[in-house]
Every structure is written in C-alpha cells, then in structure tokens.
Amino acid sequence: MSPDKHVPTPAQHQQHYYRALAARDNRFDGVFFTGVKTTGIYCRPICGVKTPRETSCIFFTTAAAAEAAGFRPCLRCRPELAPYAIQQNLAHAIWRKIANGALNESSIETLAQQVGLSSRQMRRVLLQEFGVSPVEMAQTQRLLFAKKLLQETALSMADIAFAAGFGSVRRFNALFSERYHMTPGEVRRATPSADESLTLRLAYRPPYEWDALMHYLRGRAMPGLEAIIAEKSGMAYVRSVSMDGKSGWLKVSHLPEKNQICLQVAPELTPVLMPLLAKIRQQFDLEAHPQTIHSHLQEDPMLVSQIQKTPGLRVPGAFDSFELAIRAVLGQQVSVAGATTVAGRLVQRFGVAVTTPFAAVTHHFPTPLLLTQLSIDQLASIGIPGARAATLQNVAQFALDGGFENAADRSLEQAITQMKQIRGVGEWTAQYIAMRALRFSDAFPAGDLGLQKAAAQASEPAEIRWSEKQLLERSALWSPWRAYAALLLWQSLK
C-alpha cells in the first residue's frame, strides 16, 4: 500500500499530533508515529530532524501501520526504541502480545484462542484499529527487533534472524531488503567486544524516579534470585533467568541522560530475547505516561506533596507473575523484611543452583510443578505455617492451569474474582498481584495497613489510621491510576 492510499487519522487528531510533533513532546513518544510523504520515512515525535510541513505528514498509531503504508523507519530516532502505548482496549492487548513475539512460535489460530476470539474476529479487530493484519503486524515487530539487534549487538546474522522470530536467514534478509531498501549489513553498527554479554537499550517517557524504584525492589528482592547492587553510575538490578529451557542472568541499570534503561543479558538467553525484553518492559513499567498519570492524581491535595517529591514514580512490576504471587503470599500478615527472609529460604532450598557474575544471584526460582510435588511439611520447613504452605501449593497449581495468563479481555474485577478462588488468597493478595504482576493500573489493595496509615497522615487534619472503607471511598478519585496512588502513599511513609 502506498502512503497516498492510507486512510489518515481524523482531522482533530492530525492537528493534535502535529502540534506534539512540532514541540517534540516526549509524552507522545510511542503514542503515534509520523510518516513524511516527501521522504517515505516514519519517525517518533521526538526525532531531532527538522520538522516537516503539516501537509507532508501522515500519522499512525503503530509502527506496523506506518510500514504497511509503505514508510521505512528513521535511522536517526529509531522507532524500535519507542516505549509502547498503554491503551487498555482489546486491539492494543492483542498488539502487545504480537509485539512480544506471540506469533514467533504459535499460529494465528492459537493466539486467537488465547484472547477469546476466532482468527477472523482477531484479524477484523486489528484491521479496524490499526489498518494491518496480524501477519503484517508480526513482520514489522520482527524487523524492528532485528534492526535493534543489528544496531546494538554484535550477534551473527543467524542469531539475529532466529531471535527476532524469522524461520530462516534467507527470509530475514529478503524481507529486510524489501521493506527497508537496504541490507541488514548496511544497518549494522555494533562491533564485537571482549565482553560476551549482550547490551540493549529500552526507552521510557520521563521523568523516571529510578532511585525510588530501586529502594522498593531492594527491600523485596528474594535472596539468591535477585538483588540490587551499587555501581559507580548508581544502583542496578540483577537476577537469574530461566526461560523456555534457556538459563542465564541479566542486569538492568539506568541511563538518565538518554531517558533509557540499559539491559545486559547473558549470551545464552539470545534465543528468548524478544519475550525477555517484554518482561523487562513490564517489570520496570516502561510504558507509563507519568505526566498524564500525575496530572490526574494531583487533583487530590492528599497526593500533591508526594508527587512533587517523587515525579515519575513507577509501579514496580514483576519479571514473572508466579514468582510475585508466591512472594505476595509469603508477605501475608508479616513484615516486608520477614517475607524477604522466608522467600530467600524458599529460593535457596528448592530452587536450581546457577552460576552468574553476581555473588548475590545463585539460584533460579523453583517451578510451579516442583512446589506442587513437595509435601506441606517440606514447604513449611522454610518457617511458615502449614496453612500458608498449602496456599503456596494452591497458587502453584493455579499457575500450572494458566491462571496468571492475563486474557486480553479480562477485566480487573474478573482477575480478582479468579484469584480469590485460590484457597488462602484474599482481597489484599489478589489486588497486590493484579497491581504488580498482571499490570492493572487501577488495582488497589485498600486493606493494606501501610496505605491506611499513609492516607490518614496525608489527610487534613491528620489522623492515626483510616479504615479500609474510608480509603476505598477516597481512592475512587484516583481511578484509573489507583496503583500509582498506592505507590505514592507507600513512598510517603519513608
């Protein structure tokens, strides 16, 4: 399809997007892409090139739509670096799955079943929202991911092709040349180095309160599995990784001057890079629009002071939903420090030993299958009551049954209801898992004593502690960003 055949965005969006483009407004990075008809290239709204005339611009909500209309990605602003948009509708949920590599190993029919649609319905949803088919969308994501690896790593062409989801190097070369009018070799930037690990960059929308996130994760990191380490450039997060039969490690650090995080990965994890990066995006909340979120939350005077102290505060996610769910259960009715201690015992007693460059990272997390096969007494030996050990097994069985696979059309209420059916999981635990692992921005564990205390202290006049009912009523003002309000309140207690 040529650019002239593309159906443009509505006029009001066209003008809105052009103003954001002219201002290089980073709040819109990843929200839209600009195709320039005079050059045939599409860019991010923050691109440093001279702003084209409005009549030369055509706007797209995804890179796939831009490429389907015949545009090539800009080599300067690199559209593959843009953070994802965070719309919550079905079409965007399907797009995120495809962007994360869902069609690299599975068929369209399998993906459609996962999201509760027929393949024909899924195709229609994507065409109506983005103007591209699932195959076109998957091809664009593979090409952009391959382009990222070409420019940031020294991997071989074969490793890049397979990591990006192509079935063969020949297919990769052909599609790359056809779409981008240059060979993969012409895009190559990175040169081999003595360090065998892979280093990749992921962008976010500033501001980003990195230190606050690191302090939060440090208090909850499970000893043996993950840790926060100090480096000259600041704090970094490290952990072991076991995915699809591949074993390795990763390190995440901050590049504040570039509005990016830096991800260092063991070379053994090359085959699973695409889904691994999706997990990192989730864990570090890279898709958030902090200015949009905080402009809403600061309408409540209770939150204004903390927003000013920690602008860009993120909701820490989870690398793995099952891990986080187990950690949440271990945190029931005990202190954060106590839960961290018993979580470390669980990892080191039942996890698989692994060698990493980090002294604090020694094991993989035990699998759901293993936990279901242990006896209650074995699990309780880490220092927890038998009833809680039974809950761990119930959560493990829930994970084996696919309970943490977040269906594209599942609502927060449906997710909470499903998790509360797990014996031993109540409202607080379910809301906490929904907030951090399942990424529901409106999840809110109102039963948390810390939140009740923080809300009371921030109220006028200050009180000792609010009731759960009081907090729930006030939290209605913060919807749909109640998870971020929770982080602000917790942060205010420090």
Side-chain angles (χ1 to χ4, degrees):
M1 184 187 298
S2 69
D4 291 337
K5 292 181 181 179
H6 175 77
V7 179
T9 55
Q12 67 271 26
H13 289 171
Q14 180 93 1
Q15 295 169 1
H16 184 58
Y17 287 163
Y18 187 76
R19 286 195 293 269
L21 172 67
R24 293 190 174 88
D25 192 332
N26 56 38
R27 291 176 296 177
F28 291 86
D29 192 15
V31 174
F32 72 87
F33 298 89
T34 306
V36 183
K37 290 185 279 188
T38 53
T39 63
I41 290 172
Y42 73 96
C43 300
R44 298 158 67 185
I46 62 169
C47 189
V49 301
K50 182 180 178 181
T51 304
R53 282 184 281 187
E54 186 173 359
T55 54
S56 298
C57 297
I58 188 167
F59 299 101
F60 306 88
T61 55
T62 66
E67 295 198 9
F71 292 95
R72 306 186 307 278
C74 176
L75 295 179
R76 180 168 179 174
C77 67
R78 299 183 57 197
E80 69 274 11
L81 282 178
Y84 294 161
I86 58 169
Q87 286 91 334
Q88 298 287 342
N89 62 33
L90 177 60
H92 281 82
I94 297 171
W95 175 81
R96 280 193 293 273
K97 286 181 176 292
I98 293 175
N100 296 341
L103 292 182
N104 290 355
E105 301 293 336
S106 300
S107 67
I108 290 177
E109 287 72 22
T110 299
L111 176 59
Q113 290 176 357
Q114 291 175 356
V115 299
L117 301 174
S118 69
S119 58
R120 180 177 298 180
Q121 288 172 323
M122 185 173 74
R123 177 183 174 85
R124 184 166 61 247
V125 165
L126 293 181
L127 285 171
Q128 288 176 343
E129 183 76 15
F130 305 119
V132 296
S133 69
V135 171
E136 290 173 320
M137 185 168 284
Q139 286 179 340
T140 297
Q141 294 306 134
R142 290 170 187 151
L143 287 171
L144 289 176
F145 189 74
K147 180 173 174 289
K148 180 180 183 67
L149 297 183
L150 284 167
Q151 295 185 282
E152 297 182 23
T153 77
L155 288 170
S156 69
M157 291 297 178
D159 283 341
I160 289 174
F162 294 128
F166 289 96
S168 68
V169 177
R170 176 180 293 183
R171 176 58 179 157
F172 164 54
N173 287 332
L175 188 61
F176 197 98
S177 299
E178 174 190 330
R179 187 75 67 85
Y180 296 160
H181 301 167
M182 61 180 70
T183 66
E186 291 177 285
V187 179
R188 170 76 81 182
R189 286 186 183 178
T191 56
S193 64
D195 186 355
E196 293 184 353
S197 65
L198 307 175
T199 300
L200 300 166
R201 292 178 290 136
L202 299 172
Y204 59 79
R205 299 175 184 88
Y208 195 116
E209 190 59 48
W210 179 259
D211 288 347
L213 182 71
M214 289 294 100
H215 283 297
Y216 185 93
L217 292 177
R218 181 167 61 186
R220 293 157 180 81
M222 291 182 270
L225 174 73
E226 54 188 348
I228 303 299
I229 61 174
E231 298 185 314
K232 289 183 179 180
S233 58
M235 291 183 284
Y237 171 84
V238 296
R239 65 161 291 139
S240 67
V241 176
S242 180
M243 290 179 61
D244 298 331
K246 308 300 179 183
S247 175
W249 52 268
L250 61 79
K251 181 177 79 171
V252 182
S253 53
H254 193 206
L255 301 173
E257 69 283 358
K258 295 182 178 180
N259 295 331
Q260 296 172 350
I261 65 170
C262 178
L263 172 64
Q264 190 175 351
V265 182
E268 293 82 5
L269 297 174
T270 298
V272 294
L273 275 179
M274 187 176 279
L276 186 149
L277 261 64
K279 287 177 174 287
I280 292 298
R281 286 183 179 278
Q282 171 178 286
Q283 184 175 10
F284 289 87
D285 200 11
L286 299 185
E287 321 314 339
H289 289 257
Q291 291 167 321
T292 300
I293 295 166
H294 290 163
S295 66
H296 173 69
L297 295 180
Q298 68 187 7
E299 293 179 3
D300 189 338
M302 177 184 290
L303 302 178
V304 170
S305 175
Q306 191 57 45
I307 290 174
Q308 293 172 345
K309 291 177 182 177
T310 53
L313 189 64
R314 295 312 206 260
V315 174
F319 186 81
D320 182 89
S321 296
F322 171 64
E323 290 177 4
L324 191 280
I326 293 296
R327 176 65 177 75
V329 170
L330 293 175
Q332 292 173 344
Q333 299 178 335
V334 298
S335 67
V336 171
T340 297
T341 298
V342 294
R345 292 175 191 156
L346 179 77
V347 169
Q348 295 174 44
R349 193 164 301 178
F350 303 116
V352 176
V354 63
T355 300
T356 75
F358 315 108
V361 180
T362 57
H363 288 75
H364 290 313
F365 198 78
T367 65
L369 180 60
L370 175 66
L371 293 192
T372 61
Q373 294 173 338
L374 296 173
S375 69
I376 296 298
D377 288 343
Q378 285 176 303
L379 276 174
S381 68
I382 64 174
I384 58 176
R388 190 151 303 149
T391 301
L392 295 184
Q393 289 197 324
N394 296 337
V395 169
Q397 187 60 55
F398 183 78
L400 287 175
D401 294 338
F404 292 121
E405 296 298 322
N406 198 7
D409 59 348
R410 182 164 54 161
S411 68
L412 171 60
E413 292 72 22
Q414 289 171 328
I416 295 297
T417 298
Q418 283 184 312
M419 286 188 285
K420 287 171 64 176
Q421 292 174 357
I422 305 171
R423 188 176 179 86
V425 171
E427 181 74 17
W428 177 90
T429 306
Q431 291 283 350
Y432 187 78
I433 295 170
M435 179 177 73
R436 291 196 55 199
L438 303 185
R439 306 310 293 161
F440 283 103
S441 63
D442 209 31
F444 190 74
D448 186 86
L449 298 182
L451 288 181
Q452 294 168 13
K453 178 181 177 181
Q457 291 179 351
S459 63
E460 292 291 344
E463 302 176 35
I464 297 176
R465 194 171 80 201
W466 279 13
S467 68
E468 182 175 351
K469 181 180 179 181
Q470 282 178 294
L471 187 54
L472 271 176
E473 290 175 352
R474 186 60 168 258
S475 73
L477 299 174
W478 308 328
S479 184
W481 310 112
R482 294 191 304 169
Y484 293 87
L487 262 294
L488 288 165
L489 289 172
W490 276 326
Q491 196 70 23
S492 72
L493 293 174
K494 298 186 182 302

